[in-house]
Amino acid sequence: MVLAKRVSKLKPSPTLAIDAKAKAMIAQGIDVVNFGVGEPDFDTPDNVKEAAIRAINNGFTKYTAVGGTDELKEAIAKKLQSDNNLTYSKNQIIVSCGAKHSLYNIAQVLFGKGDEVIIPAPYWVSYPDQVILNDAKPVILNTKEENNFMLSAKELKKKITKKTKAIILNSPSNPTGSAYDKNILEEIAEIAVKKKIFIVSDEIYEKIIYDGFKHISIASLNEKIKNLTIVVNGLSKSHSMTGWRIGYAAGPDEIISAMNKVQSQSTSNPASISQKAAVEALKGPQDFIAKMLNEFDKRRRYIVERLNKIKGVTCAIPKGAFYAFPNVSKLYGKSYNGKNIKDSSDLANYFLDKAQAAVVAGDAFGADDYIRFSYATSMGNIKKGIDRIEDAINSLD
């Protein structure tokens, strides 16, 4: 069978692949601790679920406008104004089937053959592939742990060419948990405005931040950078609504209009019931977020402390999201039963086979010296999993 050439350029999502492998082992009765998936382990808030049930009982089960209902767009606009000091009209907002879908729509309407898109590494796994899928070139900008994995103006300028179309920012970051402060965002914004480069600002983890850090959207800095920025967000992480598939984007009219056109020929509208639930998530009580964040903070401190006590492992404490991203490169070259550990993939497979603990190899994020742990699982699981991993590391020769 001859498939389209674009398919051969893509890699399956490694985070979903490791999650699937872990779940398959669990189905076989193996006790696997899953640090792989980026999904809050908390249930969706009751008031949100009840709103969905009301929608079903009231017959709100038909098509809606392609880019979302006016009710939901108004709730999103209010959220962006109150949380981010950003003013958007309804025609500058689109609701899609998750933030990943929003990002894909952006890639479809902005990127094409000959374009270059700057992506700081470590990066979320889908960014490069979505660029490639639209015949553009991902330009990877490697950041350093000593700089909290954040790009600098100096590094950014070196990567910009006449072909540069956009920069993808993710703050707080998956996988590192790093987050950009206002000073760095201002430097990036100044360059983008001067060079007329778009900013795709993925802010899906904005509510998951620690130690008093304040999230700032780059689009809020001034009107010039706002006109070049597409803000992407959603409810999967903030309200534990991963399966509901609600993401959204806000940006210039022309871009959002084009995204609506693409969406009309692909998925049409997000699920009507999920949209009603999303309205309640945005407009209803927000105390759920603080409770979830408090628990994530406990886990964050515990897992980082434990990882830093393991010989050959170092781990910076993340400012946001729910991932630990330890440097494990000192373990490379070690072996077990004659099999050499050469890289992050070897180590991740070793942990799954030896310790029954699923982690994601850092090479999936463009950072082979690291592995990613999601601490969006119970403290009991974290303790058990780290105990197993520590024993597995101590078993290496």
Side-chain angles (χ1 to χ4, degrees), residues 208-214 293 297 300-301 317-320:
I208 316 295
I209 49 178
Y210 311 101
D211 301 329
F213 183 84
K214 179 175 173 55
L293 186 59
D297 189 26
R300 172 184 73 125
R301 295 177 183 279
I317 191 157
K319 290 183 180 177

Side-chain angles (χ1 to χ4, degrees), residues 9 53 56 61 83 98 127 150 170 211 243 258 292 297 305 360 374:
K9 300 177 183 178
I53 293 168
I56 295 170
T61 57
D83 288 359
Y127 296 146
M150 288 184 284
N170 179 207
D211 301 329
M292 182 173 65
D297 189 26
E305 182 181 358
V360 185
S374 167

Side-chain angles (χ1 to χ4, degrees), residues 1-11 113 129 131-135:
M1 182 181 292
V2 180
L3 301 176
K5 288 183 179 179
R6 70 178 67 90
V7 178
S8 65
K9 300 177 183 178
L10 300 180
K11 304 182 295 291
K113 190 172 184 179
D129 287 86
V131 171
I132 291 168
L133 194 56
N134 289 283
D135 299 318

Side-chain angles (χ1 to χ4, degrees), residues 74-94:
E74 288 166 1
I76 291 168
K78 186 175 181 181
K79 179 265 172 217
L80 290 167
Q81 180 66 64
S82 60
D83 288 359
N84 308 110
N85 195 28
L86 288 168
T87 301
Y88 291 102
S89 59
K90 286 184 291 186
N91 65 319
Q92 294 177 307
I93 296 169
I94 181 172

